[in-house]
Amino acid sequence: MRKNIVAGNWKMNTTLQEGIQLANDVNEALKGVDAKCDVVICVPFTHLASVNAVIDPEKLGLGAENCADHLKGAYTGEVSAPMVASTGAKYVILGHSERRQYYGETSETLKEKVKLALAEGLTPIFCIGEVLEERENGTYNDVVKAQIEEALFDLSADDFKKIVLAYEPVWAIGTGKTATDEQAQDMHAHIRSTIAGKYGKEVADEISILYGGSCKPGNAKGLFAQPDIDGGLIGGAALDAESFMGIVTAF
Ligand code: 13P
């Protein structure tokens, strides 16, 4: 059976000291809870090693928010998949819409990042999702299908099974405007059938597909109750231990 996962994406928030405090708070809060899902925090590169030192890896997974599309060498300012793995991190968010939108990431570069991450044993949390215009003009199913096909469909079935997908409609990110349970479920079912078309139903049924975009304690229960929604990728609400835990315990 596929896993339920709630993952925080801290984005470019918190100083190192604030980040260690927040990780500590989440780690402490998890001690009193029998979580029905895997819990992960994806934090800035600068925080990875220090956060890894304060969390219980049995209860809380750690991830980065990106990695480079090259293994090593003269790429000033980049952080490679082996560097991420060497901090103790087990996950890496790839293809977040903010990276596609502001840093020009394409399916071609993402394809490389996914392969490098997998080669290090990292679990990519691969983000897909349409912008508002594509939602409104009705092309959203095709857009998301193309994002998956272009970046991921040259993977073997065994490698594909190691990936977690996150559907994040761009119009719902940080806007307070979440997709309805039905809109999200429809897209998740579409994503699963796209995977089944390439790799078969068995593989499709094993892939965890998370929802992201203004997910909060108040709407998480409804979203997570949908048959094809296996958890959430949480932005703003992950920056406060109490609200993050409110989402974790929605399962
Ligand atoms: P918000 O939860 O702040 O809308 O962000 C979602 C997101 O982009 C997570 O990756």
Side-chain angles (χ1 to χ4, degrees):
M1 262 307 284
R2 58 184 180 255
K3 279 184 189 165
N4 291 327
I5 303 169
V6 171
N9 172 11
W10 290 6
K11 308 192 179 182
M12 196 175 75
N13 293 293
T14 72
T15 62
L16 176 60
Q17 291 74 21
E18 290 163 349
I20 292 170
Q21 182 65 52
L22 177 54
N24 248 320
D25 290 348
V26 173
N27 194 61
E28 281 304 305
L30 279 168
K31 285 184 183 164
V33 168
D34 180 21
K36 301 286 187 293
C37 57
D38 286 1
V39 186
V40 178
I41 48 176
C42 297
V43 309
F45 290 133
T46 45
H47 300 18
L48 284 168
S50 310
V51 166
N52 188 54
V54 301
I55 60 175
D56 174 359
E58 295 292 314
K59 291 223 152 203
L60 184 55
L62 178 64
E65 302 174 14
N66 183 27
C67 72
D69 58 343
H70 296 280
L71 188 59
K72 63 187 282 194
Y75 302 100
T76 302
E78 288 293 289
V79 176
S80 70
M83 291 174 186
V84 168
S86 72
T87 67
K90 301 278 184 263
Y91 297 81
V92 59
I93 295 173
L94 292 175
H96 192 281
S97 63
E98 287 149 15
R99 301 236 30 111
R100 294 176 191 257
Q101 207 174 338
Y102 308 141
Y103 300 98
E105 290 197 355
T106 63
S107 295
E108 282 310 301
T109 50
L110 290 171
K111 207 191 267 188
E112 292 308 310
K113 292 184 182 204
V114 167
K115 282 186 192 148
L116 291 165
L118 287 172
E120 288 308 310
L122 294 166
T123 298
I125 301 176
F126 190 82
C127 302
I128 50 191
E130 81 283 0
V131 299
L132 183 61
E133 191 190 344
E134 293 157 345
R135 172 57 56 175
E136 287 177 344
N137 69 20
T139 57
Y140 51 92
N141 278 338
D142 294 340
V143 167
V144 168
K145 187 173 187 216
Q147 288 172 337
I148 298 170
E149 284 171 350
E150 287 168 14
L152 303 177
F153 272 8
D154 64 340
L155 293 174
S156 68
D158 276 348
D159 276 345
F160 192 87
K161 280 196 273 190
K162 296 172 187 156
I163 289 180
V164 172
L165 287 174
Y167 169 57
E168 299 204 305
V170 180
W171 47 272
I173 295 177
T175 57
K177 201 175 147 192
T178 183
T180 64
D181 297 348
E182 195 187 1
Q183 283 173 324
Q185 165 57 27
D186 284 353
M187 178 57 88
H188 282 230
H190 167 66
I191 292 167
R192 210 176 294 286
S193 87
T194 298
I195 298 166
K198 167 80 178 171
Y199 294 103
K201 189 172 178 315
E202 210 169 302
V203 172
D205 281 342
E206 272 186 50
I207 303 290
S208 299
I209 309 176
L210 316 185
Y211 168 80
S214 297
C215 188
K216 304 273 186 282
N219 59 25
K221 234 186 182 61
L223 288 161
F224 297 173
Q226 303 304 312
D228 287 297
I229 300 183
D230 309 308
L233 183 57
I234 317 301
L239 294 172
D240 175 79
E242 203 178 312
S243 63
F244 187 58
M245 289 305 297
I247 297 172
V248 167
T249 53
F251 269 114

Coordinates of all heavy atoms in Angstrom, one line a residue, residues 22-82:
L22 N 12.2 25.6 15.1 CA 11.0 25.1 14.5 C 11.1 23.6 14.4 O 10.1 22.8 14.7 CB 10.7 25.8 13.2 CG 9.5 25.3 12.3 CD1 8.2 25.4 13.1 CD2 9.4 26.2 11.0
A23 N 12.2 23.1 13.9 CA 12.4 21.6 13.7 C 12.3 20.9 15.1 O 11.6 19.9 15.2 CB 13.8 21.3 13.1
N24 N 12.9 21.6 16.1 CA 12.7 21.0 17.5 C 11.3 21.0 17.9 O 10.9 20.0 18.5 CB 13.5 22.0 18.5 CG 14.7 21.3 19.0 OD1 14.7 20.1 19.3 ND2 15.8 22.1 19.1
D25 N 10.6 22.0 17.7 CA 9.2 22.1 18.1 C 8.3 21.0 17.4 O 7.5 20.3 18.0 CB 8.5 23.5 17.7 CG 9.1 24.6 18.6 OD1 9.8 24.3 19.6 OD2 8.9 25.8 18.2
V26 N 8.6 20.8 16.1 CA 7.8 19.7 15.4 C 8.2 18.4 15.9 O 7.4 17.5 16.2 CB 8.1 19.8 13.9 CG1 7.5 18.6 13.1 CG2 7.6 21.2 13.3
N27 N 9.5 18.2 16.1 CA 10.0 16.9 16.7 C 9.4 16.6 18.0 O 9.0 15.5 18.3 CB 11.6 17.0 16.8 CG 12.2 15.7 17.0 OD1 12.1 14.8 16.1 ND2 12.9 15.5 18.1
E28 N 9.4 17.6 18.9 CA 8.8 17.4 20.2 C 7.3 17.1 20.1 O 6.8 16.2 20.8 CB 9.0 18.7 21.1 CG 10.4 18.9 21.7 CD 10.8 17.7 22.5 OE1 10.0 17.3 23.5 OE2 11.8 17.1 22.2
A29 N 6.6 17.9 19.3 CA 5.2 17.7 19.1 C 4.8 16.2 18.6 O 3.8 15.6 19.0 CB 4.6 18.7 18.2
L30 N 5.7 15.7 17.8 CA 5.5 14.4 17.2 C 5.6 13.3 18.3 O 5.0 12.2 18.1 CB 6.4 14.1 16.1 CG 6.0 14.7 14.7 CD1 7.2 14.7 13.8 CD2 4.8 14.0 14.2
K31 N 6.3 13.5 19.4 CA 6.5 12.5 20.4 C 5.2 12.1 21.1 O 5.0 11.0 21.5 CB 7.5 13.1 21.5 CG 8.9 13.1 21.0 CD 9.9 13.5 22.1 CE 11.3 13.6 21.6 NZ 12.2 14.3 22.5
G32 N 4.3 13.1 21.1 CA 3.0 12.8 21.8 C 1.9 12.3 20.9 O 0.8 12.3 21.3
V33 N 2.3 12.0 19.6 CA 1.3 11.8 18.6 C 1.6 10.4 17.9 O 2.7 10.2 17.6 CB 1.3 12.9 17.6 CG1 0.5 12.6 16.4 CG2 0.8 14.2 18.2
D34 N 0.5 9.7 17.7 CA 0.7 8.5 16.9 C 0.3 8.8 15.4 O -0.8 8.6 15.0 CB -0.2 7.4 17.5 CG -0.1 6.1 16.7 OD1 0.9 5.9 16.0 OD2 -1.1 5.3 16.7
A35 N 1.3 9.4 14.7 CA 1.0 9.9 13.4 C 0.6 8.8 12.4 O 1.2 7.8 12.4 CB 2.2 10.7 12.8
K36 N -0.5 9.1 11.6 CA -0.9 8.0 10.7 C -0.3 8.3 9.3 O -0.8 7.8 8.3 CB -2.5 8.1 10.6 CG -3.2 7.9 11.9 CD -3.2 6.4 12.3 CE -4.0 6.1 13.5 NZ -3.5 6.7 14.7
C37 N 0.8 9.1 9.3 CA 1.4 9.4 8.0 C 2.9 9.6 8.3 O 3.3 9.8 9.4 CB 0.8 10.6 7.4 SG 0.9 12.1 8.5
D38 N 3.7 9.5 7.2 CA 5.1 9.9 7.4 C 5.1 11.4 7.4 O 4.4 12.1 6.7 CB 5.9 9.4 6.2 CG 6.2 7.9 6.2 OD1 5.7 7.3 7.2 OD2 6.8 7.4 5.3
V39 N 6.0 12.0 8.2 CA 6.1 13.4 8.4 C 7.5 13.9 7.9 O 8.5 13.2 8.3 CB 5.8 13.9 9.8 CG1 5.8 15.4 9.9 CG2 4.5 13.3 10.3
V40 N 7.6 14.9 7.1 CA 8.8 15.3 6.5 C 8.9 16.9 6.6 O 7.9 17.5 6.5 CB 8.9 14.9 5.0 CG1 10.2 15.4 4.4 CG2 8.8 13.4 4.9
I41 N 10.1 17.4 6.8 CA 10.3 18.8 6.7 C 11.4 19.1 5.7 O 12.4 18.5 5.7 CB 10.6 19.6 8.0 CG1 11.7 18.8 8.8 CG2 9.3 19.7 8.9 CD1 12.1 19.6 10.1
C42 N 11.1 19.9 4.7 CA 12.0 20.3 3.7 C 12.5 21.7 4.0 O 11.7 22.6 4.0 CB 11.4 20.2 2.3 SG 11.0 18.5 1.9
V43 N 13.8 21.9 4.2 CA 14.3 23.1 4.8 C 15.4 23.7 3.9 O 15.9 23.0 3.0 CB 14.8 22.8 6.2 CG1 13.8 22.1 7.0 CG2 16.1 22.0 6.2
P44 N 15.8 25.0 4.1 CA 16.9 25.5 3.3 C 18.2 24.8 3.4 O 18.4 24.2 4.5 CB 17.0 27.0 3.9 CG 15.6 27.3 4.5 CD 15.1 25.9 5.0
F45 N 19.0 24.8 2.4 CA 20.3 24.0 2.4 C 21.1 24.3 3.6 O 21.7 23.4 4.2 CB 21.1 24.5 1.2 CG 20.6 24.0 -0.2 CD1 20.5 24.9 -1.2 CD2 20.2 22.7 -0.4 CE1 20.0 24.5 -2.5 CE2 19.8 22.3 -1.6 CZ 19.7 23.2 -2.7
T46 N 21.1 25.6 4.0 CA 22.0 26.0 5.1 C 21.6 25.4 6.4 O 22.3 25.3 7.4 CB 21.8 27.6 5.3 OG1 20.4 27.9 5.3 CG2 22.6 28.3 4.3
H47 N 20.3 24.9 6.5 CA 19.8 24.3 7.8 C 19.9 22.8 7.9 O 19.7 22.2 8.9 CB 18.3 24.6 7.9 CG 17.9 26.1 7.9 ND1 18.8 27.1 7.5 CD2 16.8 26.7 8.3 CE1 18.2 28.3 7.6 NE2 17.0 28.1 8.1
L48 N 20.2 22.1 6.7 CA 20.0 20.7 6.7 C 20.8 19.9 7.8 O 20.2 19.2 8.5 CB 20.4 20.2 5.3 CG 19.4 20.4 4.2 CD1 20.0 20.1 2.8 CD2 18.2 19.6 4.3
A49 N 22.1 20.2 7.8 CA 22.9 19.4 8.7 C 22.6 19.7 10.2 O 22.5 18.7 11.0 CB 24.4 19.7 8.5
S50 N 22.3 20.9 10.5 CA 22.0 21.3 11.9 C 20.6 20.7 12.3 O 20.4 20.2 13.4 CB 21.9 22.8 12.1 OG 23.1 23.3 11.6
V51 N 19.6 20.8 11.4 CA 18.3 20.2 11.7 C 18.4 18.7 11.8 O 17.8 18.1 12.7 CB 17.3 20.6 10.6 CG1 16.0 19.8 10.7 CG2 17.0 22.1 10.7
N52 N 19.2 18.1 10.9 CA 19.4 16.6 11.0 C 19.8 16.2 12.4 O 19.5 15.1 12.9 CB 20.3 16.1 9.9 CG 20.4 14.6 9.8 OD1 19.3 14.0 9.7 ND2 21.5 14.1 10.0
A53 N 20.6 17.0 13.0 CA 21.2 16.7 14.3 C 20.2 16.8 15.5 O 20.4 16.2 16.5 CB 22.4 17.6 14.6
V54 N 19.1 17.5 15.2 CA 18.1 17.6 16.4 C 16.8 16.8 16.2 O 16.0 16.8 17.1 CB 17.8 19.1 16.6 CG1 19.0 19.9 16.9 CG2 17.0 19.7 15.5
I55 N 16.6 16.1 15.1 CA 15.4 15.4 14.9 C 15.5 13.9 15.0 O 16.6 13.4 14.9 CB 14.7 15.7 13.5 CG1 15.7 15.3 12.4 CG2 14.4 17.2 13.4 CD1 15.1 15.4 11.0
D56 N 14.4 13.3 15.4 CA 14.4 11.8 15.5 C 14.1 11.3 14.1 O 12.9 11.4 13.7 CB 13.4 11.4 16.5 CG 13.2 9.9 16.6 OD1 13.9 9.2 15.8 OD2 12.4 9.5 17.4
P57 N 15.0 10.6 13.4 CA 14.8 10.2 12.0 C 13.7 9.2 11.9 O 13.1 8.9 10.9 CB 16.1 9.7 11.6 CG 16.9 9.4 12.8 CD 16.4 10.3 13.9
E58 N 13.4 8.5 13.0 CA 12.3 7.5 13.0 C 10.9 8.2 12.9 O 9.9 7.6 12.5 CB 12.3 6.7 14.4 CG 13.5 5.9 14.6 CD 13.6 4.7 13.5 OE1 12.5 4.1 13.4 OE2 14.7 4.5 13.0
K59 N 10.8 9.4 13.4 CA 9.6 10.1 13.4 C 9.4 11.3 12.4 O 8.3 11.7 12.0 CB 9.4 10.7 14.8 CG 9.2 9.7 15.9 CD 8.0 10.2 16.8 CE 7.3 9.0 17.4 NZ 6.0 9.3 17.9
L60 N 10.6 11.8 12.0 CA 10.6 13.0 11.2 C 11.6 12.9 10.1 O 12.8 12.8 10.4 CB 10.8 14.2 12.1 CG 10.7 15.6 11.5 CD1 9.4 15.9 10.8 CD2 10.9 16.7 12.5
G61 N 11.2 12.9 8.8 CA 12.1 12.9 7.7 C 12.6 14.3 7.4 O 11.9 15.3 7.7
L62 N 13.7 14.3 6.7 CA 14.3 15.6 6.4 C 14.6 15.7 4.9 O 15.0 14.7 4.2 CB 15.7 15.8 7.1 CG 16.5 17.1 6.8 CD1 15.7 18.3 7.3 CD2 17.8 17.0 7.5
G63 N 14.3 16.9 4.3 CA 14.5 17.0 2.9 C 15.0 18.4 2.5 O 14.9 19.4 3.3
A64 N 15.6 18.5 1.3 CA 16.0 19.8 0.7 C 14.9 20.3 -0.2 O 13.9 19.6 -0.4 CB 17.3 19.6 0.0
E65 N 15.1 21.5 -0.6 CA 14.0 22.1 -1.5 C 14.4 22.2 -2.9 O 13.6 22.7 -3.8 CB 13.8 23.6 -1.0 CG 13.3 23.6 0.5 CD 13.2 25.1 1.0 OE1 13.2 26.0 0.2 OE2 13.2 25.3 2.2
N66 N 15.6 21.7 -3.2 CA 16.1 21.7 -4.6 C 17.4 21.0 -4.6 O 18.0 20.7 -3.6 CB 16.3 23.2 -5.0 CG 16.8 23.3 -6.5 OD1 16.5 22.5 -7.3 ND2 17.5 24.4 -6.7
C67 N 18.0 20.6 -5.8 CA 19.4 20.2 -5.9 C 19.8 20.6 -7.3 O 19.0 20.9 -8.2 CB 19.6 18.8 -5.6 SG 19.0 17.6 -6.8
A68 N 21.1 20.5 -7.6 CA 21.6 20.9 -8.9 C 21.3 19.9 -10.0 O 21.1 18.7 -9.7 CB 23.1 21.1 -8.7
D69 N 21.5 20.3 -11.2 CA 21.3 19.4 -12.3 C 22.6 18.9 -12.8 O 22.7 18.4 -13.9 CB 20.5 20.1 -13.5 CG 21.1 21.3 -14.0 OD1 22.0 21.9 -13.3 OD2 20.8 21.8 -15.1
H70 N 23.7 19.1 -12.0 CA 25.0 18.5 -12.3 C 25.5 17.8 -11.1 O 25.1 18.2 -10.0 CB 26.0 19.6 -12.8 CG 25.6 20.3 -14.0 ND1 25.8 19.8 -15.3 CD2 25.0 21.5 -14.3 CE1 25.4 20.6 -16.2 NE2 24.8 21.6 -15.6
L71 N 26.4 16.9 -11.3 CA 26.9 16.1 -10.2 C 27.9 16.9 -9.3 O 27.9 16.8 -8.1 CB 27.6 14.8 -10.7 CG 28.0 13.8 -9.7 CD1 26.8 13.3 -8.9 CD2 28.7 12.6 -10.4
K72 N 28.9 17.6 -10.0 CA 29.9 18.3 -9.3 C 30.6 19.2 -10.2 O 30.4 19.1 -11.5 CB 30.9 17.4 -8.6 CG 31.7 16.5 -9.5 CD 32.5 15.5 -8.8 CE 33.8 16.2 -8.2 NZ 34.8 15.2 -7.8
G73 N 31.4 20.1 -9.7 CA 32.3 20.9 -10.6 C 32.0 22.4 -10.5 O 31.6 22.9 -9.5
A74 N 32.4 23.1 -11.6 CA 32.4 24.6 -11.6 C 31.0 25.1 -11.8 O 30.7 25.6 -12.9 CB 33.4 25.0 -12.7
Y75 N 30.2 25.1 -10.8 CA 28.8 25.6 -10.9 C 28.6 26.4 -9.6 O 27.8 26.0 -8.7 CB 27.8 24.4 -11.0 CG 28.0 23.6 -12.2 CD1 28.6 22.4 -12.1 CD2 27.6 24.0 -13.5 CE1 28.9 21.6 -13.2 CE2 27.9 23.3 -14.6 CZ 28.5 22.1 -14.5 OH 28.8 21.3 -15.6
T76 N 29.2 27.6 -9.6 CA 29.2 28.4 -8.4 C 27.8 28.6 -7.8 O 26.9 29.0 -8.5 CB 29.9 29.8 -8.7 OG1 31.2 29.5 -9.2 CG2 29.9 30.7 -7.5
G77 N 27.7 28.3 -6.5 CA 26.5 28.6 -5.8 C 25.5 27.4 -5.8 O 24.4 27.5 -5.1
E78 N 25.7 26.4 -6.6 CA 24.8 25.3 -6.7 C 25.1 24.3 -5.6 O 26.2 24.2 -5.0 CB 24.9 24.6 -8.0 CG 24.3 25.4 -9.2 CD 22.8 25.5 -9.0 OE1 22.1 24.6 -9.2 OE2 22.3 26.6 -8.7
V79 N 24.1 23.5 -5.3 CA 24.2 22.4 -4.2 C 23.8 21.1 -4.9 O 22.7 21.0 -5.4 CB 23.4 22.7 -3.0 CG1 23.4 21.6 -2.0 CG2 23.8 24.1 -2.4
S80 N 24.7 20.1 -4.9 CA 24.5 18.9 -5.6 C 23.7 17.9 -4.8 O 23.6 18.0 -3.5 CB 25.8 18.2 -6.0 OG 26.4 17.8 -4.8
A81 N 23.1 16.9 -5.5 CA 22.4 15.8 -4.8 C 23.3 15.1 -3.8 O 22.9 14.8 -2.7 CB 21.8 14.8 -5.8
P82 N 24.6 14.7 -4.1 CA 25.4 14.1 -3.1 C 25.7 15.0 -1.9 O 25.8 14.5 -0.7 CB 26.8 13.9 -3.8 CG 26.4 13.8 -5.3 CD 25.3 14.7 -5.4

